[in-house]
Amino acid sequence: MTTTRFAPSPTGFLHVGNLRTALFNFLIARKAGGTFILRLDDTDPERSKEHFVDAIREDLEWLGLTWDRVERQSQRLDRYAAAADTLRGKDRLYEAFETPTELDLKRKKQLNMGKPPVYDRAALDLTDADRDRLRAERGGHWRFLLDRDRIEWQDSILGATSIDAASVSDPVLIRGDGQVLYTLASVVDDTEMCVTHVVRGADHVTNTATQIQIIEALGGTVPNFAHHSLLTGPQGEALSKRLGTLALRDLRDQGVEPMALLSLLARLGSADPVELRGSVDELIEGFDIARFGAAPTKFDVNDLFPLTARHLAAQPFAAVADDIRALGVPDAIAPAFWKAVHENIAARADMAEWWAVFRDGAPQPALDEGDRAFVAEALALLPPHPYGPETWGAWTAAVKEKTGRKGKALFMPLRLAVTGRARGPEMADVMPLLQQPPKPA
Ligand code: GLU
């Protein structure tokens, strides 16, 4: 049974980088008819905040990425303590006492001597008496004793991957203050929750190597790993600093539609082209993790807006009926309103502007001086309000006959006079929606 998890730390808002991880894990579980767990990595009591937990749920719900259950690491501390005991019993967890400054010094010395900055395991040589003394003086932390072998796995994105454990420091699993760190907590959860597939960012590759040994030491089954490349900006620049501005809720506020965002991220960095999908089910069908490459993936937020416009243009009235009603558009003309504007909005919120035009009239149109007299003459020929679908044709024919104008010179000033804009819906569709006659030019 396929089981995946998305495991954010509730220490900030989700951004596009997180979404890539969430989406891949979600799609794998759904495609296999398996289980998708939302796991909150909240073992850091200072940095984890409840309002971020709420925000994570809200953002995933907005996108339609539904989870089967929630797990919270803060409620599983007894499980991590038990796993630590197991590792101690197997002599794979040892207490070390170096302060951050001491570790820093060691690293600098090693680097000066041209050696890799790997923890030297000095703590293994301490006597019991040393340990008692140091524990009383400064408290100790706990490190996992790596087997210094080559750690290998078949990565679903990177392919055959290996890391020499001798080049990695024994990871700290429990801090001096007793806080269990991610490396252990994640392994215990993945093992006990029978997680079969773990997709996460390429920044976790070294973690994966050490976690494979911890899983094996605990007698668990190593899941399938896939490490997706990190997103960069359009020029290949690191996105990490800008991720704060690419929070999912900010994109939502900018009018980005969930299916536009999901469609882009489900294909970006894969061998397949981005295709706008109509539903999450279609995304699931079209997803294959093996199609993704290891190269950094360029993300341009501006790609989301044309996709959003295309998504909206393809929506049936029923999908937007609630928004249209909320604007105060009378039910009787709501479908006609949608027909008129659906290809002329970049975001849902733009409907409000069109409705304001139809309800209140155009804001003062930017007419060329030479068109003012023409528009005044034309408005005098307009049949009485309310208008029908035939009004535009009949009106423009009458204006043409009276003034001799035709083509753009005829239509553009009238469009500007009626809507205040040079572009927009078919005027034949606009006229019946006008709630009052156009104001005099
Ligand atoms: N909380 C970890 C992170 O957000 C989870 C990593 C993982 O998927 O194992 O980086």
Side-chain angles (χ1 to χ4, degrees), residues 30 36-38 56-57 60-61 65-70:
R30 291 289 174 261
F36 177 59
I37 302 172
L38 172 59
I56 288 168
R57 289 168 174 268
L60 294 176
E61 273 164 8
L65 301 185
T66 51
W67 53 89
D68 299 301
R69 64 175 207 268
V70 179

Side-chain angles (χ1 to χ4, degrees), residues 5 7-9 39 41 182 186 200 204:
R5 83 302 194 278
S9 303
R39 188 183 88 195
D41 285 3
Y182 153 78
S186 185
R200 55 193 179 194
H204 279 288

Side-chain angles (χ1 to χ4, degrees), residues 5-11 18 21 25 39-42 73 182-183 186-187 190 198-201 203-204 207-208 211 225 227:
R5 83 302 194 278
F6 172 51
S9 303
T11 54
N18 302 125
T21 311
N25 283 295
R39 188 183 88 195
L40 297 159
D41 285 3
D42 58 352
Q73 292 196 324
Y182 153 78
T183 311
S186 185
V187 159
D190 287 341
V198 172
V199 184
R200 55 193 179 194
D203 50 335
H204 279 288
N207 276 339
T208 295
Q211 287 184 341
F225 284 105
H227 294 86

Side-chain angles (χ1 to χ4, degrees), residues 181-418:
L181 293 182
Y182 153 78
T183 311
L184 176 61
S186 185
V187 159
V188 173
D189 291 347
D190 287 341
T191 303
E192 295 188 0
M193 294 169 195
C194 302
V195 169
T196 56
H197 295 72
V198 172
V199 184
R200 55 193 179 194
D203 50 335
H204 279 288
V205 165
T206 308
N207 276 339
T208 295
T210 60
Q211 287 184 341
I212 286 174
Q213 283 201 1
I214 303 172
I215 294 167
E216 285 168 347
L218 288 171
T221 306
V222 177
N224 289 295
F225 284 105
H227 294 86
H228 60 72
S229 60
L230 299 184
L231 296 179
T232 71
Q235 260 73 51
E237 72 277 20
L239 212 54
S240 47
K241 292 211 181 62
R242 287 186 40 225
L243 282 174
T245 63
L246 295 173
L248 302 184
R249 50 197 42 222
D250 294 338
L251 297 178
R252 183 183 64 188
D253 289 348
Q254 289 172 51
V256 169
E257 289 284 321
M259 282 317 299
L261 186 53
L262 296 174
S263 297
L264 183 66
L265 284 177
R267 280 293 171 80
L268 212 57
S270 92
D272 299 315
V274 173
E275 287 169 294
L276 181 62
R277 303 293 192 163
S279 68
V280 170
D281 284 344
E282 284 176 39
L283 283 181
I284 296 169
E285 212 167 294
F287 180 75
D288 180 1
I289 189 96
R291 303 290 289 162
F292 286 80
T297 301
K298 289 190 177 133
F299 171 80
D300 187 346
V301 70
N302 292 316
D303 291 343
L304 291 169
F305 302 106
L307 281 172
T308 290
R310 273 175 54 206
H311 168 81
L312 288 170
Q315 293 311 295
F317 170 68
V320 290
D322 289 348
D323 300 85
I324 294 177
R325 184 166 299 127
L327 291 178
V329 179
D331 285 348
I333 60 166
F337 172 76
W338 180 238
K339 176 174 180 284
V341 303
H342 74 289
E343 286 178 337
N344 290 281
I345 49 176
R348 251 169 230 255
D350 294 350
M351 288 196 292
E353 288 166 31
W354 281 116
W355 177 238
V357 167
F358 301 156
R359 186 192 54 209
D360 307 330
Q364 208 50 40
L367 282 177
D368 282 350
E369 223 22 71
D371 286 330
R372 281 188 195 284
F374 163 72
V375 167
E377 199 178 359
L379 288 178
L381 296 170
L382 192 56
H385 186 266
Y387 311 125
E390 72 300 333
T391 303
W392 176 252
W395 181 35
T396 50
V399 175
K400 183 177 176 183
E401 192 170 316
K402 176 100 190 281
T403 66
R405 285 209 194 197
K406 54 186 185 201
K408 204 172 165 212
L410 167 68
F411 298 122
M412 187 52 80
L414 298 184
R415 175 181 281 283
L416 275 172
V418 173

